[in-house]
Amino acid sequence: MSPVKILWTIIFAGLFFSCSCANPGSVKQDAQQQLEKRYGEKFDILSYTEIVLEKPRYDMRACPHDRPSQVFELSMTKESGVVLDNYVNMRWVYEASDELKAYLKQSNKKIAVLVEPRFDYLQTVDDRNIPPFSEALKHQQNDDYLLVTVYFFKDYTDSTRQEIFDEIRKVISYYNDKKILSVRYKFRFYDELFFKDLDTDNQFYNFDGRVFHFPESFETTFRKQVRYSLIFDTTHSDTLPSDSFLKEKMVDWKTLNIK
């Protein structure tokens, strides 16, 4: 047998044994038990993927049994069998996002929101007594910040500009009132007519891959329907942005050659 054939035989044999020896049912059960022991509540495992070649592990998605919409991610290494997860952070993501979305829904029928806390306090939380997001805000440190993404299904035109700018300032005021030290805002405006009859509350939002990971994301499917966007940072001590500032930051997606 040639050296090349020997090499491929070894590789395929390794793949075969790596894949065949894993029992998905027992792996998921082990992961579920670790989660329930760690957090003191019941969980459901939603998906399972075995990674063979790169950092051999089992990647899964799960949710609290009593809150099936709060999906989070976990990974179990093959070497140690220890589960690592982002459950605590995702608890705050869902809570903060739902809170802002409910606030903006008062004046926006269609809206998509993601609020991501980047707080060091996360590292000190008692897994058996996870505090609400409002409590986390009391423990902000200088390097902490929020990432706030809002998708408006509204046209940015001369006639709607003032209304849109006021809506943006309303979001900023909302977090200023909560005394958030630092926020990075990202606003995106989608074609209003295109989404008029589409359900925007139940889409597979990926938000640029930062938190929610879906194979066929909303952003990929509807990337041609973005019309404008803007990104900027603020601190608690800043004044609310002026119309001229927001207008200058606004990016027309026609100039980006999106295909």
Side-chain angles (χ1 to χ4, degrees), residues 100 103-104 107-108 148 150 152 156 160-177 185 187 189 230 232 234 238-248 250:
L100 179 60
Y103 175 70
L104 294 177
S107 53
N108 296 274
V148 176
V150 180
F152 289 100
Y156 173 73
T160 63
R161 181 181 295 121
Q162 191 62 55
E163 175 189 351
I164 285 173
F165 286 172
D166 289 343
E167 201 69 18
I168 290 173
R169 282 189 285 263
K170 185 166 74 173
V171 177
I172 298 171
S173 296
Y174 180 80
Y175 285 114
N176 282 348
D177 290 344
Y185 291 103
F187 298 96
F189 298 88
L230 70 162
F232 58 90
T234 68
D238 293 341
T239 59
L240 291 177
S242 64
D243 288 358
S244 59
F245 172 87
L246 295 175
K247 186 176 180 179
E248 180 183 354
M250 193 73 74

Side-chain angles (χ1 to χ4, degrees), residues 49-162:
T49 303
E50 183 175 5
I51 308 300
V52 178
L53 295 179
E54 180 188 354
K55 297 180 179 179
R57 65 191 187 276
Y58 308 103
D59 287 345
M60 287 165 268
R61 294 169 66 232
C63 67
H65 183 73
D66 295 334
R67 299 185 304 282
S69 64
Q70 295 189 3
V71 180
F72 64 97
E73 297 176 337
L74 58 138
S75 183
M76 176 192 289
T77 63
K78 289 190 176 184
E79 182 178 358
S80 66
V82 174
V83 167
L84 301 176
D85 66 85
N86 64 351
Y87 176 53
V88 177
N89 185 62
M90 289 304 296
R91 277 269 296 262
W92 290 347
V93 166
Y94 282 108
E95 185 179 342
S97 299
D98 290 346
E99 184 181 78
L100 179 60
K101 183 176 180 179
Y103 175 70
L104 294 177
K105 273 275 193 177
Q106 298 174 29
S107 53
N108 296 274
K109 184 178 179 180
K110 292 179 179 289
I111 200 86
V113 173
L114 177 69
V115 180
E116 301 170 74
R118 300 294 175 90
F119 293 170
D120 283 342
Y121 179 58
L122 173 70
Q123 310 304 322
T124 65
V125 167
D126 180 355
D127 291 338
R128 288 280 183 145
N129 187 27
I130 302 173
F133 179 58
S134 58
E135 178 64 25
L137 295 182
K138 300 175 184 178
H139 299 269
Q140 292 180 83
Q141 301 180 30
N142 289 334
D143 293 333
D144 291 344
Y145 61 99
L146 286 185
L147 293 172
V148 176
T149 301
V150 180
Y151 294 168
F152 289 100
F153 299 91
K154 184 178 297 185
D155 293 333
Y156 173 73
T157 65
D158 289 343
S159 61
T160 63
R161 181 181 295 121
Q162 191 62 55

Side-chain angles (χ1 to χ4, degrees), residues 32-43 66 87 127-130:
Q32 182 178 354
Q33 290 174 348
Q34 288 193 50
L35 289 173
E36 292 177 355
K37 181 178 180 180
R38 182 175 300 161
Y39 297 109
E41 58 180 305
K42 188 175 180 180
F43 292 91
D66 295 334
Y87 176 53
D127 291 338
R128 288 280 183 145
N129 187 27
I130 302 173

